[in-house]
Amino acid sequence: MSPDERDRRAATGTPSSVHLDGITKRFPGVIANDDVDLEVERGTIHALIGENGAGKTTLMNVLYGLYEPTAGTVRIDGEPQTFEDPGDAMDVGIGMIHQHFMLVDTMTVAENVVLGNEPTKWGGIVTDRARANRETQALADRYGLEVEPTELIEEISVGEQQRVEILKTLYRGADILILDEPTAVLTPQEVESLFDILRELIAEGKTIIFITHKLGEALEVADEISVLRTGELVGTVDAETATREELARMMVGRDVLLEVDKPAASRGDLVLDVEDATVEDDRGVVAADSVSLGVHEGEVVGIAGVDGNGQSELIEAITGLRKLTSGTITFDGRDITTDSRRSRVSAGMAYVAEDRQKRSLVMEYELRRNGLLGRQHLRPFSDGRLIDWGATADYVDDVIEAYDVRPTDPSAKAHSLSGGNQQKFIVGREFERDPSLVIASQPTRGVDIGSIEFIHNRLLELRADGKAVLVVSSKLDEVTQLSDRLAVMYDGDLIAVVDPETVTENELGLLMAGERPEDLDLDGARIRGTPA
Amino acid sequence: MQRRTFLTTVGVGATAGLAGCLVGDDDDDGNGVDDTGNGEDDDVDSDITVGIIYSTGGLGDESFNDMAFAGIEQAEEDFGISYQNAEPDEPADMNDMQRQFASDEDIDLVCCIGFDHETDLEENAAEYDDQRFALVDAVVEADNVANYTFREHEGSFQAGHLAGLLSTMDYAHGAGETDTDEARVGFVGGEEIALIERFEAGYIAGAQHADDGIETPSAYAGSWNDPSTGQEIATGMYDDGADVVFHAAGGTGGGVFEAAQSAGRFAIGVDDDQSISADEFSDVIVASMVKRVDTAVYESIEAVVNDEFEGGMNDLGLEDEGVGATIGQDFEGDLPEEVVDALEDSRQAIIDGEIDVPDNLDDL
Amino acid sequence: MTDDSGSIRERGSAALDRLVDATAAERITISLASLVFAIIVGAVLVFVSGFVADCADPFIYLPGLGYGCYNPLEVYWTMLTGSFGSMTVIGQTLLQTTLLLFTGLSVAVAFRAGLFNIGTQGQMVLGALATALVVLELAAYVPDNAIGMVIVLSTGVIVGAIVGGFWGMIPGLMKAYANAHEVITTIMLNFVAIGIAFWLVQVHVGDLTTDSVQTETVPAVARFPATISGSRFSVIALIGALLVAAGIYLLYTRTVIGYDLRTSGIQETAAEYGGVNAKRNIVTSMTLSGVLGGIAGAIYVMMVQYRWQAGIPPLGFDGIAVSILAGNNPVGVIPAALLFGSLKTGSVAVDLSLGVPGELVEVLRGLIILFIAMPEFFRMIGKRFGYGNGSVATDGGEAQ
């Protein structure tokens, strides 16, 4: 179908843009999608929600031509389609922004955006970089997606990479956009501007399918919401009338406690004391500048901030993965500023890293081998030389059972688990080692709603047990609900420590966007100034 | 007879050359092997079996190994012997192959082609002292080893003499012509080893025999199998005014011929008549310094057939027709009479001992 | 699993999944089936080529086709008897096997740790040269008896290991600290190693009385005592190789050091997270790989060639094939090396005693290796790109 014809159909208001009819997708031993019917009207935003493993991404991969359905048909604007590969899907105007970025690290933003559709000069021989940069910039400006076209992907933050992904699909002129968890890495303000973009796009007649865990977002931006559970469509509801509780129940299949029930803190001794810590990023630029922060026994301290404002580097410095330029770190009363990562782990520091596929798991290892990671030198896992596989297997079995990791087979490779299950495994591994300090960076990123509840409860149990907990999250509701004190980082500075009970989401958003606390109408009492 | 051998083509190597060798059973002019084996040994159906182990270039090299093969084929034709071939991939394989043949009761003679056989043969000849061996291009002193070496410097002297004569005169034929501005001839070697320096020394001496003041640049490519380096070196030499370049560089020499064609100058080949084995360059290959490995192989077999085998040295020079400068097929009969005569004179002078050809660069 | 991001084509993906998840027993069955298939294809090839070739006494005449020169059964029989038919050839087969064990393990050690050491050849060549030079010197100072032999042989192996290890350490350092990909650097360092060795021997340290580029021949005290008459094979070297294979197996399955080495090579960032100095371990893995390559060179000099000579056989490259065939499992390297060793010896026999051209024998050898290695190769590729659901116990090498 030509673009002209698509426009004509859009103009004449063909009612249904995407029509999935009885889609079934089987993998050896698993039914990922079971007879799913889905109808998305042109010019609407359709949210697809469900827990990890519910089959959302598989369904969209069928629509996007990555998978061939075992049964069922895909119709676009009423026409039955058979997609051999994503190229075919793109030909009829379907574009997908994946959860895992598909960007070339060593190329620039603009090169990635135009990849496969490069503007050329000199008779098509040479990529016209200037034009690629210009067009990328124009597209970015138009949709308010802030990127620098000439920067390398490997040098920009995860959040910026997400924006490049969106730009890439827009550049290809997609009519039907599928977004897989697009807001996971964005600030509330960025999320709002993304939603503005989405609204603008549907006004132009484009169609959006939006995969998310976040009920609030689905309710806010979508016209209709479809819920998948264990491969089946539970139902499609009108976003106008649906409630969070109703959706959560549809997703999980039972009632879910959405608010964290947090008992009063009983703060003990200072466990972690960071003083004037200055940390540089990989390029040697100061990422965290003279940050001071303390975490006590029985206390959860949260750090909020947009990705790339120095939280990652600060956490890596605390956990021993990055050197401090200046400042000191004291842990359980001992100066550990120059201690190795290994000795920090041995001293009882647990760490759930932000990028689980890079840091916290060896993707090629089975869960059993991953269960050892970080404590391979310590009893009971080894005597320092020989590994005790029996003790390791016991520990891994316990984690798998207690944290409901699926599949339950300890010889499953880490890469074969869904993101949520990977995260549950890591959280379990780190939490169950009786740490005195738990540092959790984005502890629930990519995790389904039932597991989020579980992880939050475990964090609060650790707090109740008198552990010190430091949580970094870009999800504002998460840090505000969990934390006893909430630090906000902007551009390498820890600009405020606020009381999460009283601060509003709007105020937090402004702080994260760089407003100084003194410029806000913040009540002095709500700023707990002294970091320790 | 002697003169005829010098002037005509020697058909060895692959394709045309080899065919000529096989067909040329009777008194086909100019085939040295035929001349040697002609007559008395015809139609003898010997039950001799020969095991032959080549050097690492293997069969199909259009040069050294194919020459050896031609010799053994001729012996098969003349004496009805049978043979087994062994082609080592690496020098490391030679030891096993020598031992396998040596211990084989059916085999009466083991021919080892190339100097890489030397060290292993020293041990194996002693261990298998009832087996007979022939060694080409190196020497193992043992009663059961017949060694065949070549006086390459004598043949190279002839090549140098020819090159020197051409460089000092106006001559154009085929795809080449000389540049009379200055007398200059070049040499390109493969690896810088004593054997190849023998070529170089003889060649330079020959060129100086033609003209005392001649320039004789020489260079080594460092490999037997690097035509592009050979081409680069030779092109440089031609650019500097060299009229003829002689190579003793195995496969590297192909690049020398290409350079000669591009520059419109002449080149001299090596080992066999390369105007035949590399006939796409026959319009610039004015001559080749042939090294009659086929003769060596043939003679060693003949000795066994006639029950005359004995160990020791066989140093083949111009006199024995073991080496010589053979005019390229396109140039045969076209060279000026005075050049041909001068070459014949120097050849005779070397045989007669009137010219002492140096076999190393220090004696130049 | 269902939310897994997808791949290109379904059917290929399913096949790859299947292959990646195959059990050890299934994989052995696949290998044997491949062997049979390769033999059949090879037989047809040999038979057909026989009709194109000319020969004095053809073994078969088919009306309309002409005379067939080569009898495939005879070729395979010669291959078999040529590699196992007598004590001497068994010795030759085991000699090749021993060398291939060391080079195969050298490659496997690195592969196992996620590093592609293509440089075993260069490590072997330099290790061999160092061994040759040192034992030539040393032999003059030791008594010409068993004690002297123990001293010289063990010194020779240690010297080969040190020099090979040093040569392996260089790409390790370049990978860890300069982010230079080890495939490129090890390939290039092969050329450097071979060039350096050639130049040294030709110009400085070689036997300058011969035209061959080689060192002096090492004396009897620097030679592994032959176990089988007619062959230079020494069972001492084979036992050493088997012990190394077992040691490496245990290193990677049982020890903390092995775990750290592997994690560092496979996923550097995760190793750092696990409290491991990943960069140092990458260097260690490559050094260890080089050590084994260097030992292969030492054994080559003291058991096979008795000198260093330009044109060391490509055992280092064969080691890559051996390792891949073995699924990079140190124990699997043992049968893989035996297969390669017997094919090598057997094909020499075919080459020498039958009129079949050496090239055709090479083709047969190549076919067998190709057919057996291909499923394993696809399995590795599949694994690398994340196929399989990993829920089935995998490599025999990953016990526990």
Side-chain angles (χ1 to χ4, degrees):
Chain A
M1 182 171 20
S2 68
D4 288 350
E5 195 181 349
R6 281 208 296 270
D7 290 348
R8 186 182 55 74
R9 287 192 186 210
T12 54
T14 309
S16 173
S17 179
V18 176
H19 196 125
L20 299 178
D21 198 2
I23 297 290
T24 299
K25 176 64 198 169
R26 277 195 199 88
F27 292 102
V30 188
I31 298 178
N33 291 138
D34 189 4
D35 195 20
V36 176
D37 296 319
L38 191 70
E39 209 168 318
V40 181
E41 279 177 37
R42 172 167 297 282
T44 65
I45 299 177
H46 196 105
L48 193 58
I49 64 173
E51 295 198 281
N52 277 110
K56 307 181 295 290
T57 304
T58 305
L59 187 67
M60 288 303 104
N61 281 339
V62 167
L63 176 57
Y64 185 55
L66 272 171
Y67 295 153
E68 207 176 313
T70 314
T73 49
V74 175
R75 275 182 285 152
I76 304 297
D77 294 327
E79 303 264 342
Q81 305 284 346
T82 326
F83 299 139
E84 290 271 320
D85 54 50
D88 293 349
M90 271 179 226
D91 287 344
V92 297
I94 300 175
M96 181 152 172
I97 295 144
H98 291 273
Q99 197 172 357
H100 302 296
F101 306 143
M102 300 190 173
L103 298 172
V104 184
D105 278 354
T106 50
M107 288 168 49
T108 66
V109 167
E111 282 168 339
N112 269 283
V113 167
V114 302
L115 190 66
N117 303 281
E118 293 89 347
T120 54
K121 57 182 177 185
W122 298 351
I125 304 167
V126 176
T127 302
D128 189 342
R129 279 164 200 273
R131 202 173 128 204
N133 289 343
R134 219 164 44 234
E135 289 180 354
T136 302
Q137 189 66 60
L139 205 59
D141 290 347
R142 176 172 163 202
Y143 295 111
L145 290 162
E146 205 175 304
V147 292
E148 173 52 56
T150 56
E151 266 189 304
L152 291 180
I153 295 296
E154 62 189 359
E155 287 172 357
I156 64 178
S157 72
V158 176
E160 286 171 306
Q161 291 179 12
Q162 177 86 68
R163 287 173 233 160
V164 177
E165 278 284 0
I166 295 170
L167 278 174
K168 199 166 88 177
T169 312
L170 292 172
Y171 184 81
R172 293 178 184 186
D175 264 353
I176 299 162
L177 279 100
I178 307 165
L179 295 98
D180 194 355
E181 304 273 359
T183 61
V185 290
L186 306 180
T187 64
Q189 279 81 5
E190 281 176 318
V191 169
E192 274 313 314
S193 79
L194 173 68
F195 288 172
D196 289 341
I197 296 161
L198 299 185
R199 291 187 188 104
E200 196 176 320
L201 285 169
I202 57 167
E204 288 178 20
K206 301 206 173 185
T207 308
I208 306 227
I209 303 175
F210 178 62
I211 304 177
T212 185
H213 298 298
K214 294 176 188 168
L215 304 178
E217 287 177 0
L219 286 166
E220 183 186 345
V221 75
D223 298 302
E224 282 190 308
I225 302 170
S226 288
V227 184
L228 282 178
R229 189 170 75 227
T230 61
E232 291 178 58
L233 185 74
V234 181
T236 299
V237 295
D238 188 336
E240 292 283 316
T241 56
T243 66
R244 289 166 69 92
E245 286 70 22
E246 178 192 357
L247 289 174
R249 195 165 49 243
M250 286 170 79
M251 276 169 70
V252 184
R254 61 179 165 84
D255 286 322
V256 180
L257 202 59
L258 290 170
E259 299 294 318
V260 176
D261 185 15
K262 188 170 66 176
S266 54
R267 215 164 103 156
D269 294 340
L270 189 62
V271 175
L272 176 73
D273 188 12
V274 180
E275 279 183 48
D276 295 328
T278 299
V279 192
E280 290 177 355
D281 66 11
D282 290 338
R283 289 171 289 172
V285 176
V286 171
D289 190 4
S290 268
V291 172
S292 295
L293 184 70
V295 187
H296 298 79
E297 287 175 347
E299 176 191 44
V300 176
V301 173
I303 299 179
V306 180
D307 268 12
N309 277 287
Q311 313 93 307
S312 305
E313 287 81 3
L314 176 65
I315 294 298
E316 288 191 344
I318 295 171
T319 53
L321 291 167
R322 191 177 283 277
K323 283 199 175 73
L324 278 183
T325 311
S326 65
T328 56
I329 301 171
T330 311
F331 178 40
D332 272 343
R334 207 164 54 80
D335 184 345
I336 59 158
T337 310
T338 57
D339 279 16
S340 69
R341 163 96 184 120
R342 184 183 297 189
S343 75
R344 294 182 206 208
V345 173
S346 307
M349 189 188 283
Y351 175 36
V352 176
E354 172 183 20
D355 191 341
R356 58 178 166 255
Q357 303 198 345
K358 206 171 126 194
R359 287 282 188 201
S360 317
L361 286 175
V362 180
M363 300 308 283
E364 274 186 49
Y365 279 176
E366 314 86 329
L367 291 184
R368 201 188 287 115
R369 268 171 213 273
N370 271 304
L372 205 57
L373 189 66
R375 300 289 168 108
Q376 68 270 31
H377 316 93
L378 303 176
R379 288 185 188 282
F381 305 105
S382 81
D383 59 6
R385 284 171 293 121
L386 294 180
I387 296 168
D388 185 340
W389 285 111
T392 307
D394 290 345
Y395 182 76
V396 170
D397 287 343
D398 290 348
V399 168
I400 288 173
E401 196 186 329
Y403 286 78
D404 189 29
V405 178
R406 286 180 216 171
T408 56
D409 180 2
S411 59
K413 297 276 171 81
H415 65 69
S416 68
L417 271 62
S418 68
N421 278 304
Q422 289 171 355
Q423 188 72 5
K424 284 192 281 184
F425 180 79
I426 296 162
V427 166
R429 181 187 69 195
E430 295 299 313
F431 287 7
E432 294 308 306
R433 282 169 179 175
D434 192 30
S436 49
L437 169 67
V438 172
I439 299 171
S441 203
Q442 314 292 353
T444 60
R445 178 175 287 178
V447 176
D448 57 70
I449 196 163
S451 303
I452 289 173
E453 182 191 17
F454 179 80
I455 291 172
H456 284 173
N457 284 337
R458 280 296 299 144
L459 278 168
L460 292 175
E461 279 170 38
L462 288 168
R463 167 178 175 265
D465 287 348
K467 316 289 189 194
V469 179
L470 180 60
V471 175
V472 184
S473 179
S474 52
K475 291 182 189 168
L476 285 188
D477 55 344
E478 179 166 273
V479 273
T480 48
Q481 284 175 27
L482 287 173
S483 307
D484 298 305
R485 291 186 297 136
L486 181 55
V488 181
M489 282 191 74
Y490 174 76
D491 196 21
D493 287 332
L494 201 159
I495 56 170
V497 177
V498 298
D499 182 350
E501 293 285 318
T502 51
V503 75
T504 66
E505 185 163 309
N506 188 46
E507 286 164 348
L508 263 183
L510 289 169
L511 284 170
M512 284 163 67
E515 293 276 347
R516 308 301 302 180
E518 51 271 25
D519 298 338
L520 292 177
D521 186 23
L522 277 177
D523 186 344
R526 283 191 279 150
I527 304 173
R528 296 193 180 168
T530 48
Chain B
M1 176 72 191
Q2 303 285 19
R3 181 170 169 176
R4 193 181 59 196
T5 305
F6 168 65
L7 287 178
T8 48
T9 57
V10 179
V12 264
T15 57
L18 200 59
C21 181
L22 289 172
V23 179
D25 193 2
D26 294 321
D27 205 359
D28 192 63
D29 277 0
N31 191 311
V33 173
D34 278 346
D35 290 347
T36 321
N38 213 354
E40 63 274 18
D41 291 320
D42 266 356
D43 302 324
V44 174
D45 204 9
S46 166
D47 57 357
I48 298 288
T49 301
V50 178
I52 180 165
I53 309 164
Y54 298 94
S55 67
T56 46
L59 291 177
D61 65 353
E62 302 190 344
S63 179
F64 197 65
N65 289 306
D66 281 345
M67 294 271 281
F69 183 67
I72 206 161
E73 291 240 287
Q74 192 61 46
E76 183 193 30
E77 186 87 9
D78 291 351
F79 311 128
I81 58 123
S82 47
Y83 62 88
Q84 289 184 21
N85 283 330
E87 297 177 61
D89 291 329
E90 309 285 346
D93 299 334
M94 290 173 175
N95 183 46
D96 265 347
M97 290 175 166
Q98 286 177 15
R99 296 171 68 89
Q100 292 229 17
F101 279 155
S103 60
D104 189 334
E105 305 213 330
D106 295 334
I107 287 181
D108 304 283
L109 173 70
V110 181
C111 288
C112 302
I113 310 300
F115 55 73
D116 275 335
H117 283 281
E118 180 184 343
T119 309
D120 291 316
L121 190 57
E122 268 167 21
E123 286 198 18
N124 291 329
E127 189 176 337
Y128 298 94
D129 53 6
D130 53 350
Q131 179 61 275
R132 285 168 291 206
F133 297 93
L135 176 61
V136 173
D137 247 11
V139 178
V140 168
E141 285 174 21
D143 289 344
N144 56 336
V145 181
N147 299 288
Y148 290 86
T149 52
F150 297 89
R151 301 176 64 79
E152 290 93 353
H153 46 293
E154 293 185 359
S156 301
F157 184 96
Q158 288 258 282
H161 192 193
L162 169 62
L165 289 170
L166 291 179
S167 187
T168 50
M169 62 190 285
D170 267 328
Y171 180 68
H173 183 68
E177 62 176 318
T178 57
D179 164 13
T180 44
D181 288 351
E182 56 181 323
R184 184 187 285 261
V185 296
F187 174 81
V188 176
E191 286 169 8
E192 200 163 357
I193 58 178
L195 174 69
I196 300 304
E197 285 180 359
R198 208 146 70 214
F199 284 80
E200 186 185 352
Y203 179 73
I204 292 173
Q208 288 170 350
H209 184 71
D211 177 358
D212 273 344
I214 196 164
E215 294 286 322
T216 55
S218 68
Y220 283 80
S223 161
W224 304 114
N225 215 350
D226 187 358
S228 64
T229 302
Q231 183 170 12
E232 201 180 316
I233 294 172
T235 300
M237 290 176 174
Y238 290 125
D239 285 350
D240 290 345
D243 298 303
V244 185
V245 174
F246 171 43
H247 88 86
T252 303
V256 174
F257 298 148
E258 295 222 15
Q261 275 185 340
S262 317
R265 302 279 167 81
F266 300 108
I268 298 178
V270 79
D271 285 353
D272 69 337
D273 183 348
Q274 293 200 288
S275 74
I276 293 175
S277 62
D279 62 359
E280 66 269 38
F281 300 112
S282 63
D283 55 359
V284 291
I285 300 176
V286 64
S288 297
M289 202 307 270
V290 299
K291 183 168 155 180
R292 303 301 299 269
V293 178
D294 52 343
T295 307
V297 170
Y298 184 89
E299 279 187 5
S300 69
I301 297 169
E302 187 182 29
V304 172
V305 169
N306 295 337
D307 209 13
E308 290 164 355
F309 179 89
E310 55 183 303
M313 293 284 300
N314 298 281
D315 197 17
L316 307 176
L318 282 175
E319 188 173 8
D320 322 275
E321 291 179 45
V323 293
T326 298
I327 303 302
Q329 56 172 345
D330 286 7
F331 292 85
E332 202 187 333
D334 186 76
L335 288 178
E337 193 66 25
E338 65 267 28
V339 171
V340 175
D341 290 343
L343 282 173
E344 174 54 24
D345 289 346
S346 69
R347 201 182 74 84
Q348 199 58 49
I350 293 168
I351 293 172
D352 296 343
E354 289 161 16
I355 296 177
D356 187 20
V357 182
D359 65 356
N360 65 73
L361 293 170
D362 296 336
D363 290 351
L364 262 177
Chain C
M1 139 104 238
T2 48
D3 266 11
D4 221 322
S5 57
S7 81
I8 318 150
R9 287 292 167 81
E10 292 273 319
R11 204 162 300 159
S13 309
L16 274 177
D17 278 341
R18 190 73 201 86
L19 212 51
V20 171
D21 293 337
T23 64
E26 280 172 331
R27 283 164 53 198
I28 290 170
T29 314
I30 292 172
S31 293
L32 287 178
S34 308
L35 179 64
V36 171
F37 196 53
I39 286 174
I40 294 169
V41 171
V44 171
L45 201 72
V46 167
F47 186 75
V48 170
S49 327
F51 286 91
V52 188
D54 292 320
C55 54
D57 46 345
F59 92 102
I60 195 169
Y61 175 76
L62 291 181
L65 272 176
Y67 292 95
C69 282
Y70 314 133
N71 180 350
L73 291 178
E74 192 187 3
V75 169
Y76 284 123
W77 180 248
T78 308
M79 234 181 202
L80 193 65
T81 54
S83 49
F84 295 105
S86 71
M87 283 313 284
T88 307
V89 294
I90 288 176
Q92 288 305 99
T93 298
L94 292 179
L95 179 140
Q96 294 291 341
T97 304
T98 305
L99 295 170
L100 290 168
L101 265 174
F102 278 112
T103 58
L105 287 170
S106 163
V107 177
V109 159
F111 271 28
R112 204 84 185 132
L115 298 162
F116 293 85
N117 180 14
I118 313 296
T120 297
Q121 182 73 16
Q123 292 143 13
M124 182 181 78
V125 166
L126 282 187
L129 178 57
T131 300
L133 296 178
V134 169
V135 299
L136 277 169
E137 278 297 309
L138 184 63
Y141 301 103
V142 299
D144 191 12
N145 58 23
I147 297 167
M149 189 180 278
V150 169
I151 294 171
V152 175
L153 292 181
S154 49
T155 309
V157 168
I158 290 167
V159 168
I162 290 172
V163 172
F166 171 75
W167 204 249
M169 187 174 76
I170 297 171
L173 289 168
M174 290 162 90
K175 162 95 174 174
Y177 298 101
N179 210 16
H181 200 287
E182 74 277 11
V183 169
I184 309 292
T185 54
T186 53
I187 289 175
M188 299 323 270
L189 282 169
N190 279 337
F191 295 115
V192 176
I194 291 164
I196 287 176
F198 190 96
W199 173 76
L200 276 177
V201 172
Q202 186 180 30
V203 186
H204 295 287
V205 297
D207 178 356
L208 302 178
T209 63
T210 163
D211 278 333
S212 296
V213 180
Q214 64 186 38
T215 63
E216 310 268 350
T217 303
V218 302
V221 75
R223 301 176 180 187
F224 275 94
T227 307
I228 296 171
S229 85
S231 167
R232 292 176 175 180
F233 165 69
S234 173
V235 77
I236 299 169
L238 177 61
I239 291 171
L242 294 174
L243 288 177
V244 170
I248 289 167
Y249 173 78
L250 293 176
L251 174 74
Y252 280 134
T253 53
R254 294 268 185 271
T255 70
V256 174
I257 294 172
Y259 181 87
D260 288 353
L261 285 177
R262 231 188 126 189
T263 310
S264 303
I266 290 175
Q267 205 174 315
E268 193 180 329
T269 46
E272 286 168 356
Y273 170 92
V276 177
N277 185 336
K279 294 190 186 307
R280 201 175 61 204
N281 276 320
I282 287 169
V283 178
T284 307
S285 289
M286 289 301 284
T287 305
L288 183 59
S289 179
V291 161
L292 293 172
I295 293 177
I299 303 280
Y300 179 78
V301 163
M302 298 190 294
M303 187 173 83
V304 183
Q305 184 83 326
Y306 296 159
R307 62 177 183 271
W308 190 97
Q309 181 172 11
I312 301 264
L315 292 159
F317 298 115
D318 291 345
I320 298 169
V322 167
S323 180
I324 290 177
L325 183 57
N328 301 324
N329 180 327
V331 174
V333 165
I334 298 170
L338 183 65
L339 176 74
F340 270 69
S342 55
L343 282 175
K344 166 92 183 162
T345 319
S347 57
V348 169
V350 174
D351 202 357
L352 288 182
S353 63
L354 299 181
V356 180
E359 288 79 3
L360 200 54
V361 181
E362 290 286 317
V363 170
L364 283 188
R365 219 171 91 187
L367 271 179
I368 293 177
I369 293 163
L370 193 70
F371 272 75
I372 297 182
M374 274 332 251
E376 204 53 47
F377 180 72
F378 279 124
R379 211 181 71 84
M380 275 177 62
I381 299 283
K383 230 165 130 178
R384 188 137 191 99
F385 288 94
Y387 285 98
N389 59 31
S391 58
V392 184
T394 52
D395 302 25
E398 303 187 33
Q400 301 299 321

